[in-house]
Amino acid sequence: FLMNKDKMVARTIHFPQDLIQEAIQASRELDMSFSELVRTATCLFIKQGCQDKLKKILAEGYREKADLNKCICDDFENSDGENVL
């Protein structure tokens, strides 16, 4: 993730003790700072949430258009093979 370090903002966050220990260990294993780990995890969380939201919106749209799509398919059922030699 590309982040402009000139525009970084400091925030105080609170973690349960066990989670902070896991995060510290993970940052060591991944050879990154704790802040970088938190930034990366936050970006991934947001990205995944946006993808999930988009999938739900698309699924709703497909469901809403299902009857129309079925009618269109039925209308063209007889013409599917007309131009095949």
Side-chain angles (χ1 to χ4, degrees):
F1 297 97
L2 297 176
M3 293 180 219
N4 186 341
K5 292 184 180 183
D6 294 334
K7 296 182 180 181
M8 295 285 180
V9 177
R11 295 283 186 233
T12 300
I13 54 176
H14 301 273
F15 286 88
Q17 188 63 36
D18 57 339
L19 181 57
I20 196 76
Q21 293 304 320
E22 287 183 51
I24 291 169
Q25 182 62 34
S27 68
R28 287 182 185 141
E29 290 173 8
L30 295 168
D31 193 31
M32 60 175 47
S33 70
F34 176 78
S35 292
E36 187 177 4
L37 176 81
V38 172
R39 284 191 301 272
T40 302
T42 302
C43 287
L44 290 171
F45 181 82
I46 292 169
K47 183 178 179 184
Q48 184 63 46
C50 289
Q51 288 176 350
D52 290 346
K53 187 175 181 178
L54 178 60
K55 287 177 186 177
K56 288 178 185 176
I57 290 169
L58 289 173
E60 278 181 30
Y62 293 141
R63 279 192 294 276
E64 289 174 6
K65 300 291 182 190
D67 290 337
L68 175 61
N69 292 337
K70 174 85 168 86
C71 288
I72 292 170
C73 286
D74 290 345
D75 289 347
F76 286 92
E77 182 177 21
N78 295 326
S79 63
D80 280 346
E82 286 179 357
N83 296 321
V84 177
L85 298 174

